[in-house]
Structures are given as structure tokens and as C-alpha cells.
Amino acid sequence: MIRLREMDTIFQNSQRQGRFSFYMTCRGEEAIPFGAATALESQDVVLAQYREQGVLMWRGFSLQQFSDQCYSNESDLGKGRQMPVHYGSRALNYQTISSCLGTQIPQAVGVAYSLKLSAANATDDGRETKKAVSLCFFGEGCSSTNDFHSGLNLSATLKCPVIFFCRNNGYAISTSVKEQYAGDGVISRAPGYGMAAIRVDGNDVFAVHAAVREARIYALENNAPILIEAMSYRCGHHSTSDDSFRYRSVEEVQHFANESDPLIRLQNFLKHHKYDNMTDDDFRIMVEDEKKAILYAMRKAERKPKPSLEDLFTDVYNEMPPSLKAQQNQLNEHIAKYPDSY
Amino acid sequence: MNLFTAINNALFIALETDPSSIVFGQDVAFGGVFRCTQNLQEEFGPDRVFNTPLNESSIAGLAIGYASMSGGTAIGEMQFADYMFPAFDQIVNEMSKFRYRSGNQWNCGGVTLRSPCGAVGHGGHYHSQSPEAFLTHCPGIVVVMPRGPKAAKGLLLSSIRSKDPVIFLEPKALYRAAVEDVPVEDYEVELGKAEVMREGSDVTVLGWGGHLRVLEQACDLSKENDGISCELIDLQTLTPWDIECVTNSVNKTGKLIVSHEAPVTSGFGAEVVATVQAECFYSLESPIQRVCGLDTPFPLVFEKYYIPDKLKNYEAIKTVVESANNNN
């Protein structure tokens, strides 16, 4: 959590300096990705919205990989095609983020249906298999999309082992929850879909962990979906394109930062826990080490070249169609003619 | 076989040859409202052939998610192409960009979405549409429309096995009407290839889907009445389309008619016309004609006046040939 907080701070500042085009922090919500990721197994597939980079971090996505994606350089696994923070890793079972809100929700059901069939087939064949769930993150704003309804209803009728994880942080950009829904949050909708649900303190990493651990057991035992609503507060701006003090007060943000910061709460636990007994100095050293590592990764990412221009054209289809090949040739000839303009 | 039995046969083969394949959509379990999925659930079980709730975005999202996992084959059905629009976000923003945006880490190439399309005599606004041009504007998906049972079976099997997501539009007017000898064995028709149905020398007539029946009649009429030799081409795959086949034909005949049921403005015909004039400008002997639906919603009682029928096409063929003769 310290690593994520420091990375968010440094990356946000780098965006402010114009080093890359965009960034989104998850300040104030760090307990959610780490609480959830620690309760999952590596075979579980994660479909996220965009404010859950901690899951990837826990699973081993390196500071270099985060930096390379934000800098859109030749090492970016996404070949520089998507905006910063749109991470993805096949190796870490983390599907690539897209900007469209809610679209991942019905997709998570398809993933879970595939996992369920694979597990059943393996059992039929007498093979050893690791059962798996899909876990789908979204914000409370996203719970108003059509696909929230599409996905939840589908998962319940198809009986799929999927965990829907709602980060309720109070705001969708400038829209407060008062303007988002009139019911009792997001969890209240679960019974209507015939679905189990849990609401947790999203700033308590142990509560999040326990909820996901139990939800996973429930989903696999019953081949059924479950909804978790984690109550939190978005302490940062929505993104680097947003100044959140135009629609909420500094006092409100300060209140949550002072009273319920998930990182401070975890640090307090570690300080007072008899097996850990960590001190403020221990934490300071950790912060300094992380900062150094982040800056090192960023400097390295900054120096790497951009991806090859061929990557503009590949992967649209499995094989490049002749018409696209022609467009590629046309662009290459054009650039050859005006090499100094590009 | 007629068209629905050919589709059913292709789905049977797909389910039999690929254990990862699943078939789903609204009302597919009892056989489908057009009978395309009949007996499949009995044969392959409810885990592989099943109903979904009434929600097109669910169907598309389920397909994408399923196919994203180790090459699973997802064959979804949208009950009418007119009702594909609620799934447009999933199709355009997700399915088509899945491979590209992840740097080829993830793909959903195993998706095929089948949907009945086109005029049916009395379908009104929402049981008649031909939405192909909305889809062809979207890089990353393949759009296919077969003209009859034999092509449909081969094209559907290719679509299901393709490594790219495919939207497969089935001309519903032909489900029972069109009967052809269809090989019972497993075969494929290559995607991205047009088929020259009839060779000719005076004019190229281009279309796709069930509309080719109309174009065949128009070509017959031109031959009988005016001795015009039409080269008739079925495009079969709309994206990526077979530019080479069409331009070769137009370079030979010097004239082109493009005809489709969908409205004329920004229809896929416009794309063909623009490409052909750029590639075949010096071979063209007369202006290219588009014979298409009107720029209105698809009307109920006026259907007969709305559709680009054989007489409208016959007239266009005659006009194009006469205009070329007058210029020579």
C-alpha cells in the first residue's frame, strides 16, 4: 500500500509536469485492491475498471511495467495504444482495462462461465483442477450503467462463480451518490437479482480481505455470483483532468484523509501488533526506498523509445487485411516523403 | 436444405467438432424462433446450448468474456438484427478492440454473433433492418452475410472458427424459402472473398445476402429484354471486403451497379462506390449507380415501394449501359 500511494503521488506529479498525458490515483481506496488481491488465488481472473492498480501490483506487475505503460514506450505490453493506467497482463490473469464503464461486468460473467465449465469438465475427466472465480471491480457510478443490470442478472440466471466488487467512494467524477441513486446504495439491489451480498468498510484492509475470501468460497461452493459493496472515499481528484474542489470542500476531503485513511489504519495496526511492532522510522525508510525505486523505473521508462510504427496497424485483426496493408504502405511512403514532420 | 436447416447443420458440426463451443441467446434452447438451433440442446446439453435473459448487451458481453478465456468458442444469437443496437457498445467498443488494445495479450476471436436481418414482407420498422453499414465502419470485426443455404453453412463454419470476432447476418426471408443442395459434410467458405456468381461482359452487378435473389432476376430481365450481359458478384464478407475481385470485374465491364436493402445514405454501397472510382477511374464508362433502400425507416405498408426490387435494378442496369453507349 505504501508502494501504491508513492507511485500514485509521483506519477500524478509527473503528469502535471507534462511527462505523460493522463493519470488516475486511487488515493484513499488502497485497502480495496490489496484486501481483495490477497484473498484471491493466482488462477482467479480479474476484470477491473481503472482504479484498482493495486491488484496488479500485488500480483507482481513491476514498477517498470507500470511506468512503461504510462510512458507508452516500446516495453508497454499494450504497445502504446491505450491511455495511461489502462493496464493489463495475461500472465497475471488481469484483463486489459478499457475506458468504457460497466462493459467488463457482463464480460466477467462470460469469464466465470468458462471457468465453471472448465472445472466441471476437468472433474468429469478425473483431472486435478484449480477452481477459479472471476472478480469484477467497478465504481458506484458504474452501477447505474445498463451493463450493471445486464451482468448481474445474467450471472444469477447462469449460476456463475463471479464476485462483483463495487467500490463506493461517494463520487462519480463530480456526481455525488445522492444524484447517482435513491436506494440503499448498491448492495440493496442484490436481493432483486436473487444474489447474496456483503457490505464492508472499504478502508479496512482486513474487512475487505475477509469479505473477498468468504465470497470466493461461497461463489465456488454454490456456483453463484455474489456482490460486495466496499464503502470508501475518493481522496484524490477523479483524474488529472479534474479539479475536485470545484464540487466538494477541502474540509470534506481532509476529514476522510484524517479520520479513515486506510494506510494509516493499517500502519496503526502494525505498530500496535505484538508480532510486528513497527515504528514510524520503519515506515519512513519504506517510503524512501519505494520513492527511489519508482523514480528509477520512471527515468528508465522515459529513456526507452516509442513502439514501432508497425504496431499502429497490427492486432486490429489476427492477420492484417490487404486494405489495411495498403494503408500502412501509404503512410510509410508519406512519412518517407516528409521525414522531418513526424 | 433450406437456410435454417443449413445454419442448424453448421451449428451441429461446430458443437461436435469443438468441445469449447457454446450456443446461447434468447429462446435458443427450444430451437429458436426461426428453428435454427432446434435439437441442439437435446444433443449437447444445457451447459452448451442455453437461453439467456432478454438482454442483447448480456449476450455480447457473455460472448466476449467466454471467448477471452483460452480460445473458447462463443456463438451468440441476437433474435433480430434490429435489436442488436443495445449491444452496440459491447460490439464496437469492446469486441472489435479487444485484441488491439491489449497488445494482443487478450483476444475474443472465438466470438460469432448470428442475427436474422433484412426484409421479410411485413416486418415493419423493427423486423426488417439491414444494419451492416453500422458495423462495417468498425475496424476489428468481420461482417458476413450469406446469400443462401450452401454459402451460409460454409461461411458460418469459417466464421465460428475464425480468429477474429464475426457478426453473421442471416437473411431471414430465406430461412424457409431458399432450398439448395447442401453438402452434409464439414466444409468452409473462405472469409474475405467475394464470389462471381455469373460471368458477364457489359456491367458488374454487386450485392450481398438475400438481396442477390432480386439481383439475379434483374440480370435475367436485362438479358432477355436487352441482351445485356451482367457479371453478378456476391460480396459475402463486407469487412474486410474483396476489393480485388470487384475492381477486376469493373475494369473488365467498365460499369457498376451496387444494390442493397439498407438506406442509401452512408450505406455500404457508398464505400464500394468510393473505392471503385479511385481504383477503376479510367475504366469506368458511366457513373456508378446505387440501387438501395430509401432514406426512411423501413415502412410496413409501403414495403413494396421501398425495397430496391428487380425492376428498379433492371432500370439502373439499362441506364448505365445506355449512358456508356451514348458516350462512346
Side-chain angles (χ1 to χ4, degrees):
Chain A
M1 281 167 69
I2 289 174
R3 177 177 297 174
L4 179 56
R5 172 129 338 154
E6 294 309 316
M7 183 180 88
D8 273 350
T9 306
I10 293 173
F11 278 17
Q12 172 162 278
N13 291 339
S14 301
Q15 192 283 334
R16 299 263 188 255
Q17 294 162 9
R19 291 173 169 208
F20 44 81
S21 57
F22 181 77
Y23 194 68
M24 299 177 111
T25 76
C26 50
R27 193 176 181 92
E29 296 175 60
E30 291 95 339
I32 290 172
F34 290 104
T38 50
L40 294 176
E41 300 291 335
S42 59
Q43 68 269 24
D44 296 327
V45 182
V46 175
L47 293 89
Q49 182 174 308
Y50 48 57
R51 216 183 287 286
E52 300 91 358
Q53 46 265 53
V55 173
L56 265 178
M57 196 172 261
W58 177 262
R59 287 189 166 191
F61 208 67
S62 67
L63 288 170
Q64 195 59 56
Q65 286 176 306
F66 283 114
S67 307
D68 289 339
Q69 199 281 335
C70 288
Y71 276 96
S72 311
N73 66 29
E74 65 171 13
S75 301
D76 170 23
L77 295 171
K79 305 185 186 177
R81 290 164 180 158
Q82 287 213 87
M83 287 171 76
V85 309
H86 290 56
Y87 307 113
S89 169
R90 179 97 200 187
L92 301 176
N93 257 338
Y94 190 95
Q95 292 213 347
T96 300
I97 306 292
S98 84
S99 306
C100 313
L101 295 184
T103 48
Q104 76 277 20
I105 303 176
Q107 292 170 16
V109 184
V111 169
Y113 193 73
S114 168
L115 295 169
K116 176 174 114 168
L117 286 196
S118 305
N121 291 340
T123 310
D124 289 349
D125 300 348
R127 281 180 281 138
E128 282 279 312
T129 178
K130 286 182 177 173
K131 284 189 163 191
V133 298
S134 69
L135 185 139
C136 180
F137 283 111
F138 50 89
E140 89 289 344
C142 218
S143 73
S144 299
T145 63
N146 301 331
D147 274 343
F148 172 83
H149 165 67
S150 304
L152 267 68
N153 192 43
L154 181 70
S155 70
T157 57
L158 277 188
K159 299 181 175 57
C160 288
V162 49
I163 301 170
F164 296 111
F165 195 115
C166 178
R167 293 178 293 99
N168 191 337
N169 63 15
Y171 288 90
I173 308 186
S174 75
T175 304
S176 80
V177 289
K178 286 181 197 147
E179 300 156 300
Q180 197 64 248
Y181 50 69
D184 177 12
V186 178
I187 188 178
S188 65
R189 304 185 207 158
Y193 292 112
M195 188 181 296
I198 319 169
R199 179 179 275 157
V200 291
D201 179 348
N203 288 10
D204 177 345
V205 71
F206 299 111
V208 173
H209 175 90
V212 174
R213 188 186 60 212
E214 295 306 313
R216 186 177 187 276
I217 293 168
Y218 170 88
L220 287 176
E221 275 183 358
N222 299 283
N223 264 334
I226 182 165
L227 172 67
I228 298 174
E229 182 177 20
M231 308 309 287
S232 186
Y233 185 79
R234 195 194 78 211
C235 280
H237 301 300
H238 164 68
S239 73
T240 49
S241 307
D242 172 53
D243 171 13
S244 66
F245 297 126
R246 292 176 65 177
Y247 50 80
R248 62 180 185 179
S249 65
V250 179
E251 293 73 35
E252 180 185 306
V253 179
Q254 274 308 323
H255 170 77
F256 282 97
N258 294 338
E259 302 299 326
S260 71
D261 183 305
L263 182 54
I264 294 173
R265 285 170 68 177
L266 179 59
Q267 286 176 333
N268 285 341
F269 176 87
L270 295 173
K271 280 189 219 168
H272 301 303
H273 195 273
K274 62 178 177 177
Y275 299 112
D276 300 302
N277 275 327
M278 293 183 70
T279 63
D280 285 337
D281 272 344
D282 292 332
F283 291 123
R284 252 194 301 279
I285 291 164
M286 274 187 195
V287 167
E288 288 314 311
D289 285 351
E290 291 301 336
K291 273 186 182 163
K292 266 185 234 156
I294 294 157
L295 290 169
Y296 177 78
M298 269 181 46
R299 274 195 293 273
K300 214 167 145 188
E302 204 161 21
R303 283 198 300 268
K304 290 185 188 180
K306 295 293 172 202
S308 146
L309 192 57
E310 196 186 355
D311 290 333
L312 166 59
F313 294 93
T314 54
D315 304 332
V316 178
Y317 294 92
N318 183 50
E319 285 175 33
M320 203 186 298
S323 53
L324 191 53
K325 185 85 200 155
Q327 291 171 30
Q328 186 185 27
N329 292 339
Q330 203 176 15
L331 181 65
N332 288 340
E333 282 164 24
H334 176 78
I335 291 170
K337 201 168 167 188
Y338 300 98
D340 300 332
S341 302
Y342 291 92
Chain B
M1 289 187 205
N2 61 29
L3 183 66
F4 87 70
T5 46
I7 299 286
N8 183 256
N9 184 238
L11 292 174
F12 191 95
I13 292 172
L15 285 160
E16 201 175 35
T17 52
D18 174 0
S20 83
S21 57
I22 56 172
V23 169
F24 53 93
Q26 290 152 31
D27 306 306
V28 304
F30 89 115
V33 296
F34 290 108
R35 311 309 301 150
C36 291
T37 53
Q38 63 182 352
N39 300 326
L40 296 179
Q41 192 181 55
E42 288 84 335
E43 193 66 34
F44 298 99
D47 282 347
R48 296 185 62 200
V49 181
F50 54 90
N51 287 340
T52 60
L54 197 165
N55 185 304
E56 285 75 15
S57 186
S58 282
I59 297 168
L62 172 67
I64 294 166
Y66 186 83
S68 73
M69 297 303 295
S70 22
T73 301
I75 309 164
E77 178 180 307
M78 306 265 165
Q79 203 157 75
F80 286 87
D82 313 62
Y83 305 130
M84 194 178 280
F85 298 100
F88 243 45
D89 190 30
Q90 287 287 349
I91 293 170
V92 172
N93 278 328
E94 296 292 316
M95 207 172 106
S96 71
K97 298 169 176 61
F98 214 79
R99 186 189 295 276
Y100 189 76
R101 73 177 185 214
S102 73
N104 204 16
Q105 292 190 83
W106 300 92
N107 74 81
C108 63
V111 173
T112 303
L113 293 180
R114 301 173 35 245
S115 191
C117 73
V120 68
H122 50 270
H125 296 346
Y126 307 114
H127 299 82
S128 308
Q129 292 182 48
S130 299
E132 65 270 19
F134 289 102
L135 300 161
T136 54
H137 194 56
C138 177
I141 51 173
V142 175
V143 182
V144 178
M145 205 194 291
R147 69 169 182 274
K150 191 177 168 188
K153 180 178 168 183
L155 285 168
L156 182 54
L157 281 167
S158 298
S159 299
I160 291 167
R161 292 160 181 171
S162 154
K163 293 196 167 78
D164 295 308
V166 179
I167 308 279
F168 192 84
L169 297 166
E170 300 167 2
K172 69 176 93 62
L174 304 190
Y175 274 140
R176 290 169 189 280
V179 179
E180 279 176 359
D181 285 334
V182 176
V184 290
E185 71 266 17
D186 189 340
Y187 65 92
E188 294 180 21
V189 173
E190 193 182 348
L191 301 182
K193 293 286 176 215
E195 185 185 331
V196 179
M197 291 169 62
R198 293 184 189 181
E199 299 219 357
S201 51
D202 293 330
V203 54
T204 302
V205 178
L206 177 70
W208 47 89
H211 193 53
L212 280 160
R213 282 200 312 174
V214 171
L215 299 182
E216 281 187 291
Q217 291 166 8
C219 294
D220 288 342
L221 215 54
S222 310
K223 184 84 187 168
E224 287 158 23
N225 290 356
D226 309 292
I228 296 171
S229 161
C230 298
E231 181 146 298
L232 182 60
I233 300 180
D234 175 4
L235 206 49
Q236 299 195 117
T237 301
L238 303 183
T239 38
W241 64 289
D242 192 347
I243 296 171
E244 196 184 351
C245 171
V246 176
T247 53
N248 283 346
S249 175
V250 177
N251 280 331
K252 179 176 77 175
T253 63
K255 302 163 210 79
L256 175 64
I257 308 280
V258 188
S259 183
H260 55 68
E261 272 179 24
V264 61
T265 299
S266 304
F268 190 65
E271 179 59 35
V272 174
V273 171
T275 304
V276 168
Q277 78 80 23
E279 299 288 324
C280 311
F281 186 77
Y282 298 106
S283 306
L284 284 169
E285 298 165 13
S286 57
I288 301 170
Q289 291 257 351
R290 282 185 287 165
V291 188
C292 304
L294 307 173
D295 287 340
T296 67
F298 199 104
L300 181 68
V301 74
F302 305 115
E303 175 165 330
K304 163 168 122 161
Y305 304 96
Y306 170 91
I307 55 171
D309 65 4
K310 74 170 172 192
L311 269 181
K312 291 179 186 173
N313 275 288
Y314 167 66
E315 271 303 307
I317 292 168
K318 231 171 39 165
T319 308
V320 163
V321 172
E322 277 168 10
S323 140
N325 290 344
N326 291 342
N327 258 344
N328 282 341

